[in-house]
Amino acid sequence: MNGDTAASPATLQDDARSGGRPDSTSVLVATDLRKNFGAVAALAGASLHLRRGEVMALMGDNGAGKSTLVKSIAGVVVPDSGEILINGEPRRFAGPGDALRAGIETVYQDLALVDSMSASENVFLGREPVKAGPLGRLFKLVDRRRMADDAGQALAGIGAKIPSLADSVSAMSGGQRQALAVARAMLWGKNIVMLDEPTAALGVQESEGVLEIISALKSQDVSVLMISHNLEHVFKVADRVTVMRQGRTVGERHIRDVVANDIVGLITGGSEVS
Ligand SMILES: Nc1ncnc2c1ncn2[C@@H]1O[C@H](COP(=O)(O)OP(=O)(O)OP(=O)(O)O)[C@@H](O)[C@H]1O
Ligand SMILES: [Mg+2]
């Protein structure tokens, strides 16, 4: 199984069982990303190919580099080397704002909510709607009713129960915070939505809600990258899976071509010896 474990970007060219070569349907092509944090090689040849309107699962053991890859695409981490193409164009995001403007929305593993703000403020965060009319525009009056309505709708969409959208999020449970972050991504993600373990803190019902949202985004032609350790969720919603090990992409498969054990083999490296 040497082809699966190559450290080179050849993974993307190995198209017999993968998503094939990048073409006009590719919204994101990350090739051979590398990132060191001091002596730690968080990324050591990470590649990813995401097509328009597909759900890609990103799997790998703890510390494999999944979050660092997502952060590199989101402009939070600047890779030491490698290439990122968005809709075929080479991009180097200098910060998260650049990625947001390119329609790339991210739910981070640590969620990145502002504790002192309310739930609906967190959903908007820098994108607050201004009231209609000349006065609203002149004084940049924030349209709080619209914020509450839109945030409420997004949360209802995932079946999340948030006691009050006006309260600060500091007192919210882990699951409520996660639901809020997913609602924000769903509302704003127009091109690519990346979700770093979006169901980790959620109950069964809320997890189902998030999986439904992922399917809904896909049906709107949004591309979704979902980091997950949950094979059941991956088999339920993903079209393809990319597996990382020790900072490298070690395989990319169509979900229809694999069973759980194949993925586990890639994650652990077991497929090399079997
Ligand atoms: N800012 C940082 N400074 C130093 N080391 C880091 C930093 N970010 C990540 N690392 C290291 O890089 C490696 C990859 O981390 P990363 O968070 O990307 O893994 P992961 O695949 O998301 O793991 P998990 O499944 O546990 O979330 C780890 O060894 C981690 O300790
Ligand atoms: Mg992580």
Side-chain angles (χ1 to χ4, degrees), residues 142-196:
V142 171
D143 191 344
R144 294 200 173 275
R145 174 175 293 188
R146 207 180 120 201
M147 279 172 65
D149 285 354
D150 288 358
Q153 247 175 35
L155 284 161
I158 49 177
K161 297 167 199 72
I162 305 272
S164 165
L165 284 170
D167 288 350
S168 89
V169 302
S170 53
M172 282 189 184
S173 75
Q176 288 168 334
R177 297 168 73 92
Q178 195 152 33
L180 198 60
V182 172
R184 179 169 64 195
M186 160 197 166
L187 200 59
W188 298 105
K190 299 288 177 244
N191 190 13
I192 298 170
V193 171
M194 300 192 290
L195 305 157
D196 195 344

Short mmCIF file of all heavy atoms in Angstrom, two decimals, residues 142-196:
data_model
loop_
_atom_site.label_atom_id
_atom_site.label_comp_id
_atom_site.label_asym_id
_atom_site.label_seq_id
_atom_site.Cartn_x
_atom_site.Cartn_y
_atom_site.Cartn_z
N VAL A 142 -27.26 49.59 14.64
CA VAL A 142 -27.33 48.14 14.46
C VAL A 142 -28.77 47.66 14.55
O VAL A 142 -29.53 48.07 15.43
CB VAL A 142 -26.45 47.44 15.52
CG1 VAL A 142 -26.68 45.94 15.50
CG2 VAL A 142 -24.98 47.76 15.28
N ASP A 143 -29.17 46.84 13.60
CA ASP A 143 -30.53 46.32 13.56
C ASP A 143 -30.63 45.07 14.46
O ASP A 143 -30.48 43.95 14.01
CB ASP A 143 -30.89 45.97 12.11
CG ASP A 143 -32.36 45.68 11.94
OD1 ASP A 143 -33.04 45.45 12.97
OD2 ASP A 143 -32.83 45.68 10.79
N ARG A 144 -30.88 45.32 15.75
CA ARG A 144 -30.85 44.22 16.72
C ARG A 144 -31.99 43.22 16.51
O ARG A 144 -31.84 42.04 16.75
CB ARG A 144 -30.91 44.77 18.14
CG ARG A 144 -29.67 45.55 18.44
CD ARG A 144 -29.37 45.76 19.90
NE ARG A 144 -28.06 46.38 19.98
CZ ARG A 144 -26.93 45.71 19.96
NH1 ARG A 144 -26.93 44.39 19.92
NH2 ARG A 144 -25.77 46.34 19.99
N ARG A 145 -33.12 43.74 16.06
CA ARG A 145 -34.24 42.82 15.84
C ARG A 145 -33.89 41.82 14.75
O ARG A 145 -34.13 40.63 14.88
CB ARG A 145 -35.50 43.61 15.45
CG ARG A 145 -36.64 42.66 15.07
CD ARG A 145 -37.90 43.37 14.79
NE ARG A 145 -38.43 43.97 16.00
CZ ARG A 145 -39.63 44.52 16.07
NH1 ARG A 145 -40.39 44.57 15.00
NH2 ARG A 145 -40.07 45.04 17.18
N ARG A 146 -33.29 42.33 13.67
CA ARG A 146 -32.92 41.43 12.58
C ARG A 146 -31.86 40.43 13.04
O ARG A 146 -31.91 39.24 12.69
CB ARG A 146 -32.38 42.23 11.39
CG ARG A 146 -32.61 41.47 10.11
CD ARG A 146 -32.09 42.22 8.91
NE ARG A 146 -31.07 41.42 8.24
CZ ARG A 146 -30.17 41.94 7.43
NH1 ARG A 146 -30.14 43.23 7.22
NH2 ARG A 146 -29.31 41.15 6.85
N MET A 147 -30.94 40.91 13.86
CA MET A 147 -29.92 40.00 14.39
C MET A 147 -30.56 38.87 15.18
O MET A 147 -30.22 37.70 15.00
CB MET A 147 -28.94 40.76 15.29
CG MET A 147 -27.88 41.50 14.52
SD MET A 147 -26.89 42.55 15.61
CE MET A 147 -26.06 41.37 16.65
N ALA A 148 -31.48 39.25 16.06
CA ALA A 148 -32.12 38.24 16.90
C ALA A 148 -32.93 37.27 16.03
O ALA A 148 -32.91 36.05 16.25
CB ALA A 148 -33.01 38.90 17.94
N ASP A 149 -33.64 37.81 15.03
CA ASP A 149 -34.47 36.95 14.16
C ASP A 149 -33.60 35.96 13.39
O ASP A 149 -33.87 34.76 13.36
CB ASP A 149 -35.24 37.80 13.14
CG ASP A 149 -36.42 38.52 13.79
OD1 ASP A 149 -36.67 38.24 14.99
OD2 ASP A 149 -37.06 39.34 13.12
N ASP A 150 -32.52 36.49 12.76
CA ASP A 150 -31.67 35.62 11.94
C ASP A 150 -30.95 34.58 12.79
O ASP A 150 -30.85 33.41 12.42
CB ASP A 150 -30.63 36.45 11.17
CG ASP A 150 -31.28 37.25 10.04
OD1 ASP A 150 -32.51 37.10 9.87
OD2 ASP A 150 -30.57 37.99 9.36
N ALA A 151 -30.44 35.04 13.95
CA ALA A 151 -29.73 34.11 14.83
C ALA A 151 -30.70 33.04 15.32
O ALA A 151 -30.38 31.84 15.36
CB ALA A 151 -29.11 34.85 16.00
N GLY A 152 -31.93 33.47 15.69
CA GLY A 152 -32.94 32.53 16.18
C GLY A 152 -33.27 31.50 15.11
O GLY A 152 -33.38 30.30 15.41
N GLN A 153 -33.41 31.96 13.88
CA GLN A 153 -33.73 31.04 12.79
C GLN A 153 -32.62 30.03 12.55
O GLN A 153 -32.88 28.83 12.37
CB GLN A 153 -33.92 31.84 11.50
CG GLN A 153 -35.35 31.80 11.01
CD GLN A 153 -35.52 32.70 9.79
OE1 GLN A 153 -34.63 32.83 8.97
NE2 GLN A 153 -36.68 33.32 9.72
N ALA A 154 -31.38 30.52 12.57
CA ALA A 154 -30.24 29.62 12.32
C ALA A 154 -30.18 28.57 13.43
O ALA A 154 -29.94 27.39 13.17
CB ALA A 154 -28.94 30.41 12.26
N LEU A 155 -30.42 28.98 14.66
CA LEU A 155 -30.36 28.04 15.78
C LEU A 155 -31.52 27.05 15.72
O LEU A 155 -31.35 25.86 15.98
CB LEU A 155 -30.36 28.79 17.11
CG LEU A 155 -29.02 29.43 17.43
CD1 LEU A 155 -29.16 30.53 18.46
CD2 LEU A 155 -28.02 28.38 17.91
N ALA A 156 -32.70 27.55 15.35
CA ALA A 156 -33.86 26.66 15.23
C ALA A 156 -33.57 25.62 14.15
O ALA A 156 -33.98 24.46 14.26
CB ALA A 156 -35.11 27.45 14.89
N GLY A 157 -32.85 26.05 13.12
CA GLY A 157 -32.50 25.15 12.02
C GLY A 157 -31.73 23.93 12.48
O GLY A 157 -31.81 22.87 11.85
N ILE A 158 -30.93 24.06 13.53
CA ILE A 158 -30.21 22.89 14.01
C ILE A 158 -30.85 22.31 15.27
O ILE A 158 -30.28 21.46 15.93
CB ILE A 158 -28.71 23.19 14.27
CG1 ILE A 158 -28.52 24.43 15.11
CG2 ILE A 158 -27.94 23.29 13.00
CD1 ILE A 158 -27.06 24.68 15.45
N GLY A 159 -32.03 22.80 15.59
CA GLY A 159 -32.76 22.25 16.73
C GLY A 159 -32.08 22.56 18.06
O GLY A 159 -32.22 21.80 19.01
N ALA A 160 -31.32 23.66 18.10
CA ALA A 160 -30.60 23.99 19.33
C ALA A 160 -31.50 24.76 20.29
O ALA A 160 -32.34 25.54 19.88
CB ALA A 160 -29.38 24.84 19.00
N LYS A 161 -31.29 24.47 21.57
CA LYS A 161 -32.08 25.17 22.57
C LYS A 161 -31.19 26.15 23.33
O LYS A 161 -30.36 25.76 24.14
CB LYS A 161 -32.70 24.16 23.54
CG LYS A 161 -33.67 23.23 22.85
CD LYS A 161 -34.03 22.05 23.73
CE LYS A 161 -34.59 20.90 22.92
NZ LYS A 161 -33.58 20.20 22.11
N ILE A 162 -31.35 27.42 23.03
CA ILE A 162 -30.59 28.47 23.71
C ILE A 162 -31.61 29.28 24.50
O ILE A 162 -32.57 29.78 23.92
CB ILE A 162 -29.89 29.39 22.68
CG1 ILE A 162 -29.02 28.58 21.73
CG2 ILE A 162 -29.12 30.51 23.37
CD1 ILE A 162 -27.62 28.32 22.15
N PRO A 163 -31.44 29.37 25.83
CA PRO A 163 -32.47 30.02 26.66
C PRO A 163 -32.78 31.44 26.20
O PRO A 163 -33.93 31.80 25.98
CB PRO A 163 -31.87 30.00 28.06
CG PRO A 163 -30.64 29.19 28.01
CD PRO A 163 -30.30 28.88 26.59
N SER A 164 -31.75 32.27 26.05
CA SER A 164 -32.01 33.63 25.61
C SER A 164 -30.88 34.12 24.71
O SER A 164 -29.71 34.10 25.10
CB SER A 164 -32.14 34.56 26.81
OG SER A 164 -32.06 35.90 26.36
N LEU A 165 -31.27 34.57 23.54
CA LEU A 165 -30.27 35.05 22.58
C LEU A 165 -29.63 36.34 23.05
O LEU A 165 -28.57 36.73 22.58
CB LEU A 165 -30.94 35.28 21.22
CG LEU A 165 -31.24 34.02 20.44
CD1 LEU A 165 -32.09 34.33 19.23
CD2 LEU A 165 -29.94 33.37 20.01
N ALA A 166 -30.30 37.02 24.00
CA ALA A 166 -29.79 38.32 24.45
C ALA A 166 -28.77 38.17 25.57
O ALA A 166 -28.01 39.09 25.86
CB ALA A 166 -30.96 39.18 24.91
N ASP A 167 -28.72 36.99 26.21
CA ASP A 167 -27.77 36.80 27.32
C ASP A 167 -26.36 36.58 26.81
O ASP A 167 -26.16 36.06 25.72
CB ASP A 167 -28.20 35.58 28.16
CG ASP A 167 -29.45 35.88 28.96
OD1 ASP A 167 -29.84 37.06 29.01
OD2 ASP A 167 -30.03 34.93 29.51
N SER A 168 -25.39 36.94 27.64
CA SER A 168 -24.00 36.72 27.23
C SER A 168 -23.73 35.21 27.20
O SER A 168 -24.37 34.43 27.92
CB SER A 168 -23.04 37.42 28.16
OG SER A 168 -22.70 36.57 29.22
N VAL A 169 -22.79 34.81 26.37
CA VAL A 169 -22.60 33.37 26.18
C VAL A 169 -21.75 32.75 27.29
O VAL A 169 -21.57 31.53 27.32
CB VAL A 169 -21.96 33.04 24.80
CG1 VAL A 169 -22.80 33.58 23.67
CG2 VAL A 169 -20.54 33.55 24.70
N SER A 170 -21.26 33.58 28.22
CA SER A 170 -20.34 33.04 29.22
C SER A 170 -20.96 31.93 30.06
O SER A 170 -20.26 31.02 30.51
CB SER A 170 -19.84 34.16 30.13
OG SER A 170 -20.94 34.87 30.65
N ALA A 171 -22.29 31.99 30.25
CA ALA A 171 -22.92 30.97 31.09
C ALA A 171 -23.43 29.77 30.30
O ALA A 171 -24.05 28.88 30.86
CB ALA A 171 -24.08 31.61 31.87
N MET A 172 -23.15 29.74 29.01
CA MET A 172 -23.71 28.65 28.20
C MET A 172 -22.95 27.35 28.36
O MET A 172 -21.74 27.34 28.61
CB MET A 172 -23.66 29.04 26.72
CG MET A 172 -24.75 30.00 26.35
SD MET A 172 -24.72 30.17 24.57
CE MET A 172 -25.97 31.40 24.38
N SER A 173 -23.65 26.26 28.15
CA SER A 173 -23.02 24.94 28.21
C SER A 173 -22.17 24.72 26.96
O SER A 173 -22.31 25.43 25.96
CB SER A 173 -24.09 23.84 28.28
OG SER A 173 -24.69 23.68 27.01
N GLY A 174 -21.30 23.72 27.02
CA GLY A 174 -20.45 23.41 25.87
C GLY A 174 -21.26 23.12 24.62
O GLY A 174 -20.93 23.57 23.53
N GLY A 175 -22.36 22.39 24.81
CA GLY A 175 -23.20 22.04 23.66
C GLY A 175 -23.87 23.26 23.06
O GLY A 175 -23.97 23.40 21.84
N GLN A 176 -24.32 24.15 23.94
CA GLN A 176 -24.98 25.38 23.45
C GLN A 176 -23.99 26.25 22.68
O GLN A 176 -24.31 26.82 21.65
CB GLN A 176 -25.57 26.16 24.63
CG GLN A 176 -26.80 25.48 25.21
CD GLN A 176 -27.23 26.08 26.55
OE1 GLN A 176 -26.42 26.66 27.27
NE2 GLN A 176 -28.50 25.94 26.87
N ARG A 177 -22.77 26.31 23.19
CA ARG A 177 -21.74 27.10 22.50
C ARG A 177 -21.44 26.50 21.13
O ARG A 177 -21.27 27.21 20.15
CB ARG A 177 -20.45 27.14 23.34
CG ARG A 177 -20.65 27.83 24.68
CD ARG A 177 -19.45 27.58 25.57
NE ARG A 177 -18.31 28.36 25.12
CZ ARG A 177 -18.02 29.58 25.57
NH1 ARG A 177 -18.77 30.14 26.50
NH2 ARG A 177 -16.99 30.23 25.12
N GLN A 178 -21.39 25.18 21.10
CA GLN A 178 -21.10 24.53 19.83
C GLN A 178 -22.22 24.79 18.81
O GLN A 178 -21.96 25.09 17.65
CB GLN A 178 -20.94 23.02 20.06
CG GLN A 178 -20.29 22.35 18.89
CD GLN A 178 -19.54 21.10 19.29
OE1 GLN A 178 -19.94 20.42 20.23
NE2 GLN A 178 -18.47 20.79 18.60
N ALA A 179 -23.45 24.69 19.29
CA ALA A 179 -24.59 24.94 18.41
C ALA A 179 -24.53 26.36 17.85
O ALA A 179 -24.81 26.61 16.67
CB ALA A 179 -25.90 24.73 19.18
N LEU A 180 -24.13 27.29 18.71
CA LEU A 180 -24.06 28.69 18.30
C LEU A 180 -23.00 28.88 17.21
O LEU A 180 -23.22 29.57 16.21
CB LEU A 180 -23.69 29.52 19.53
CG LEU A 180 -23.95 31.00 19.47
CD1 LEU A 180 -25.42 31.29 19.24
CD2 LEU A 180 -23.49 31.65 20.79
N ALA A 181 -21.86 28.25 17.40
CA ALA A 181 -20.78 28.38 16.41
C ALA A 181 -21.18 27.76 15.07
O ALA A 181 -20.87 28.29 14.00
CB ALA A 181 -19.51 27.72 16.95
N VAL A 182 -21.91 26.64 15.14
CA VAL A 182 -22.35 25.99 13.89
C VAL A 182 -23.39 26.88 13.20
O VAL A 182 -23.37 27.06 11.98
CB VAL A 182 -22.94 24.58 14.16
CG1 VAL A 182 -23.58 24.01 12.91
CG2 VAL A 182 -21.85 23.65 14.67
N ALA A 183 -24.28 27.47 14.00
CA ALA A 183 -25.30 28.35 13.42
C ALA A 183 -24.65 29.52 12.69
O ALA A 183 -25.07 29.92 11.61
CB ALA A 183 -26.23 28.86 14.52
N ARG A 184 -23.60 30.06 13.29
CA ARG A 184 -22.90 31.18 12.67
C ARG A 184 -22.30 30.77 11.31
O ARG A 184 -22.44 31.46 10.31
CB ARG A 184 -21.79 31.67 13.60
CG ARG A 184 -20.99 32.81 13.02
CD ARG A 184 -20.10 33.43 14.06
NE ARG A 184 -19.09 32.49 14.52
CZ ARG A 184 -18.35 32.67 15.62
NH1 ARG A 184 -18.53 33.73 16.37
NH2 ARG A 184 -17.45 31.79 15.96
N ALA A 185 -21.67 29.60 11.29
CA ALA A 185 -21.05 29.13 10.04
C ALA A 185 -22.10 28.89 8.97
O ALA A 185 -21.92 29.20 7.80
CB ALA A 185 -20.27 27.85 10.31
N MET A 186 -23.23 28.36 9.42
CA MET A 186 -24.29 28.04 8.47
C MET A 186 -24.87 29.30 7.85
O MET A 186 -25.19 29.36 6.67
CB MET A 186 -25.34 27.25 9.24
CG MET A 186 -26.66 27.23 8.62
SD MET A 186 -27.83 26.71 9.87
CE MET A 186 -29.27 27.21 8.97
N LEU A 187 -24.95 30.34 8.68
CA LEU A 187 -25.54 31.60 8.19
C LEU A 187 -24.62 32.30 7.20
O LEU A 187 -25.08 32.94 6.26
CB LEU A 187 -25.79 32.49 9.41
CG LEU A 187 -26.77 33.63 9.28
CD1 LEU A 187 -28.14 33.11 8.89
CD2 LEU A 187 -26.85 34.37 10.62
N TRP A 188 -23.32 32.18 7.39
CA TRP A 188 -22.38 32.99 6.62
C TRP A 188 -21.59 32.23 5.57
O TRP A 188 -21.02 32.83 4.67
CB TRP A 188 -21.40 33.71 7.55
CG TRP A 188 -22.08 34.64 8.48
CD1 TRP A 188 -22.31 34.43 9.81
CD2 TRP A 188 -22.67 35.91 8.17
NE1 TRP A 188 -22.99 35.49 10.34
CE2 TRP A 188 -23.22 36.41 9.34
CE3 TRP A 188 -22.78 36.66 7.00
CZ2 TRP A 188 -23.88 37.63 9.42
CZ3 TRP A 188 -23.42 37.88 7.05
CH2 TRP A 188 -23.96 38.35 8.26
N GLY A 189 -21.51 30.94 5.69
CA GLY A 189 -20.67 30.17 4.76
C GLY A 189 -21.29 30.11 3.38
O GLY A 189 -22.34 29.50 3.20
N LYS A 190 -20.69 30.77 2.43
CA LYS A 190 -21.26 30.79 1.09
C LYS A 190 -20.48 29.91 0.13
O LYS A 190 -20.97 29.52 -0.92
CB LYS A 190 -21.24 32.24 0.54
CG LYS A 190 -22.04 33.21 1.37
CD LYS A 190 -23.54 32.98 1.21
CE LYS A 190 -24.35 33.89 2.11
NZ LYS A 190 -25.12 33.20 3.12
N ASN A 191 -19.25 29.62 0.45
CA ASN A 191 -18.37 28.93 -0.47
C ASN A 191 -17.91 27.61 0.16
O ASN A 191 -18.19 26.52 -0.34
CB ASN A 191 -17.18 29.87 -0.78
CG ASN A 191 -16.33 29.38 -1.91
OD1 ASN A 191 -16.71 28.48 -2.64
ND2 ASN A 191 -15.15 29.96 -2.04
N ILE A 192 -17.24 27.77 1.31
CA ILE A 192 -16.71 26.60 2.02
C ILE A 192 -17.03 26.76 3.50
O ILE A 192 -16.84 27.83 4.07
CB ILE A 192 -15.17 26.51 1.85
CG1 ILE A 192 -14.79 26.33 0.37
CG2 ILE A 192 -14.61 25.39 2.70
CD1 ILE A 192 -13.30 26.47 0.11
N VAL A 193 -17.53 25.69 4.11
CA VAL A 193 -17.71 25.68 5.56
C VAL A 193 -16.82 24.59 6.14
O VAL A 193 -16.88 23.44 5.69
CB VAL A 193 -19.19 25.44 5.94
CG1 VAL A 193 -19.33 25.22 7.44
CG2 VAL A 193 -20.05 26.63 5.52
N MET A 194 -15.98 24.96 7.09
CA MET A 194 -15.11 23.98 7.74
C MET A 194 -15.55 23.84 9.19
O MET A 194 -15.69 24.83 9.90
CB MET A 194 -13.65 24.43 7.66
CG MET A 194 -13.17 24.60 6.22
SD MET A 194 -11.39 24.79 6.07
CE MET A 194 -11.17 26.43 6.77
N LEU A 195 -15.76 22.60 9.60
CA LEU A 195 -16.26 22.34 10.95
C LEU A 195 -15.27 21.41 11.66
O LEU A 195 -15.08 20.27 11.25
CB LEU A 195 -17.63 21.66 10.86
CG LEU A 195 -18.71 22.39 10.05
CD1 LEU A 195 -19.77 21.42 9.56
CD2 LEU A 195 -19.34 23.49 10.88
N ASP A 196 -14.64 21.93 12.71
CA ASP A 196 -13.64 21.13 13.43
C ASP A 196 -14.34 20.43 14.60
O ASP A 196 -14.60 21.04 15.63
CB ASP A 196 -12.51 22.04 13.92
CG ASP A 196 -11.28 21.25 14.35
OD1 ASP A 196 -11.40 20.03 14.56
OD2 ASP A 196 -10.20 21.87 14.46
#
